[in-house]
Amino acid sequence: MIPIYQPYLPKESIEYAQEALNSGWISSRGKYVQLATDKLSDYIASDYVILTNSGTAATHMVTRCLKKFHPEVKRILVPSACYVAPYNVIEYDNNNWNVCAIDLNEFTWNMDIDNYSIRDGDAIFVVHNLGNIVNVPELKRKHNCPIIEDNCEGFFGGYDKYASGTESLCSALSFFGNKNVTTGEGGAFVTRDKDVYDYANHIHNQAQTEERYVHDDVGYNYRMTNIQAALLLGQLENYDYILENKMRVFERYSNNLKDVEGINLQEKEENTEHSMWMFGVRFHNTVGYDRAKRFFDERGIDTRPMFYSFKKHSHLKHIRGMDQVADTINKSVVVFPSYPTLLNRDIDFICSAIKEFSEILDVYN
């Protein structure tokens, strides 16, 4: 079976992690936490980065900062389909926000907010689905409201010559096992605002004051371990190799499939760069993901469905909004293997299977 993803762990990551183990500094203290923080900060050109124990933890810190620095927010606009973490972190606290789901754009598969009327008291929660980057600087030019980002799928992506996640109030990165850069679990909080950074750094460390064991706010143990940071540093030092191979994978898929009838690929917004996290294909004729999964499983190709509408999640029934496009995309998009060491011959094999499946669907329908 060709897996949907497998991490790339260079020898440096293994050596640094072993050194961290040998040093005895296996919790959130140790030299690799600061070294990896500095290296990540350099790559995304942001002075204020906090490593966390998960992308969801970083995303929660993002919503805490929105509430702290924009208490005027009454309504938060979210995509009608994305990974569940942004919805969940809104539910963590008593924010008293109305949550409104904005349906997806049928071409980018991201929230289609261009023609949506923004009101006083609104905030936009941007999510870059599959790593297709929403142009946040352009949103800022159009809409006078706070913007936060779930950039967990966006590392390597960019907008207006900036790294994605750096032009909103604050954003979250994920280093989960299937991400472009991984620590198994892990993530990062990013901002350009010193006050936002100071507050986020405070609450991610149990909101402890300068006096040990005395705390002044609801805080969390959201810290990354030294071992995780060692794995991260080794990969960041091999950033160019990972990026080069992700580009190779996506370009080969795109070139193989560009003239295939019956499918569409995800379209980028103007002045953005896809993070090349996951490669999705939208089939014009489909009867849902289950049929696709059976077909590709039989050929030894691991796949994933596109994210489900918010209405699919039983604990989110109170959210209002439209999901017609999101539901259609979920039933027609299949996500394929895209890890950096994926062989060209495997990509070609997957593309042949995609063409075959499209032809079968055309006959079937």
Side-chain angles (χ1 to χ4, degrees):
M1 177 75 75
I2 302 172
I4 190 70
Y5 217 87
Q6 59 184 28
Y8 172 70
L9 293 176
K11 61 181 179 61
E12 291 86 352
S13 288
I14 306 302
E15 291 170 358
Y16 296 157
Q18 187 62 59
E19 184 178 337
L21 284 167
N22 293 341
S23 74
W25 294 103
I26 62 173
S27 64
S28 58
R29 297 194 177 191
K31 68 177 184 179
Y32 289 109
V33 174
Q34 191 59 55
L35 288 171
T37 300
D38 292 343
K39 182 66 74 172
L40 178 59
S41 179
D42 287 344
Y43 277 125
I44 63 175
S46 178
D47 291 334
Y48 303 118
V49 172
I50 303 167
L51 299 184
T52 64
N53 58 7
S54 73
T56 300
T59 308
H60 184 209
M61 291 162 59
V62 165
T63 56
R64 280 291 304 268
C65 289
L66 177 65
K67 183 176 182 180
K68 170 73 172 179
F69 291 93
H70 288 280
E72 78 280 5
V73 169
K74 298 294 187 293
R75 187 175 66 154
I76 188 162
L77 310 179
V78 298
S80 60
C82 62
Y83 184 64
V84 74
Y87 306 134
N88 280 346
V89 297
I90 292 172
E91 300 296 312
Y92 286 175
D93 305 299
N94 183 23
N95 293 310
N96 294 319
W97 291 328
N98 291 320
V99 184
C100 179
I102 308 301
D103 209 357
L104 302 187
N105 180 284
E106 63 175 316
F107 303 108
T108 66
W109 314 343
N110 283 325
M111 64 192 306
D112 193 3
I113 203 164
D114 280 348
N115 298 315
Y116 196 81
S117 178
I118 304 297
R119 309 188 309 224
D120 289 342
D122 282 351
I124 302 173
F125 201 161
V126 168
V127 184
H128 308 291
N129 274 337
L130 302 186
N132 197 25
I133 304 302
V134 176
N135 193 330
V136 169
E138 183 65 20
L139 280 183
K140 289 168 64 176
R141 288 188 283 268
K142 290 180 177 179
H143 305 294
N144 183 28
C145 71
I147 300 173
I148 55 176
E149 287 177 81
D150 175 342
N151 190 41
C152 288
E153 299 162 18
F155 189 55
F156 287 176
Y159 41 47
D160 279 13
K161 299 182 180 179
Y162 300 105
S164 61
T166 60
E167 290 301 299
S168 55
L169 176 72
C170 49
S171 69
L173 283 170
S174 172
F175 303 130
F176 183 63
N178 64 6
K179 296 302 190 290
N180 287 342
V181 170
T182 178
T183 59
E185 292 285 355
F189 174 93
V190 176
T191 185
R192 291 196 188 278
D193 189 307
K194 177 64 161 57
D195 292 335
V196 173
Y197 167 82
D198 287 341
Y199 176 70
N201 196 39
H202 185 56
I203 62 172
H204 112 289
N205 190 27
Q206 298 286 22
Q208 182 170 275
T209 65
E210 293 182 0
E211 186 176 357
R212 184 177 291 274
Y213 305 138
V214 177
H215 308 260
D216 61 4
D217 201 345
V218 176
Y220 315 94
N221 181 7
Y222 280 172
R223 297 165 295 193
M224 178 179 282
T225 69
N226 194 42
I227 297 172
Q228 289 176 304
L231 293 172
L232 177 61
L233 179 63
Q235 289 168 85
L236 292 176
E237 290 179 350
N238 285 269
Y239 178 100
D240 290 342
Y241 175 85
I242 299 172
L243 177 60
E244 177 182 337
N245 278 279
K246 292 292 290 192
M247 291 175 64
R248 172 187 60 82
V249 168
F250 268 64
E251 287 176 359
R252 196 167 189 96
Y253 267 123
S254 298
N255 288 335
N256 282 354
L257 298 173
K258 63 183 178 181
D259 296 323
V260 176
E261 295 184 2
I263 68 169
N264 287 111
L265 306 182
Q266 200 173 18
E267 295 185 13
K268 296 190 299 183
E269 288 188 31
E270 188 175 359
N271 296 322
T272 66
E273 291 297 329
H274 202 290
S275 77
M276 299 170 292
W277 175 51
M278 287 285 187
F279 192 90
V281 174
R282 183 176 179 185
F283 294 91
H284 295 178
N285 298 312
T286 185
V287 291
Y289 174 69
D290 288 346
R291 177 179 171 85
K293 176 175 170 54
R294 288 193 299 271
F295 176 88
F296 291 106
D297 279 353
E298 290 171 357
R299 286 150 182 80
I301 302 167
D302 194 14
T303 60
R304 292 292 183 272
M306 182 56 179
F307 301 119
Y308 292 92
S309 159
F310 68 97
K311 293 182 180 179
K312 183 77 169 179
H313 310 298
S314 60
H315 67 300
L316 301 177
K317 299 298 186 183
H318 59 285
I319 294 180
R320 298 289 180 264
M322 304 298 294
D323 74 334
Q324 182 177 358
V325 177
D327 188 57
T328 299
I329 288 174
N330 168 259
K331 292 175 179 176
S332 58
V333 169
V334 181
V335 179
F336 292 95
S338 61
Y339 49 93
T341 55
L342 184 63
L343 299 176
N344 285 342
R345 67 170 180 265
D346 288 335
I347 300 171
D348 295 343
F349 173 73
I350 295 167
C351 290
S352 294
I354 290 170
K355 295 173 187 177
E356 182 184 358
F357 185 61
S358 179
E359 290 169 358
I360 290 173
L361 289 177
D362 186 49
V363 172
Y364 180 83
N365 285 276

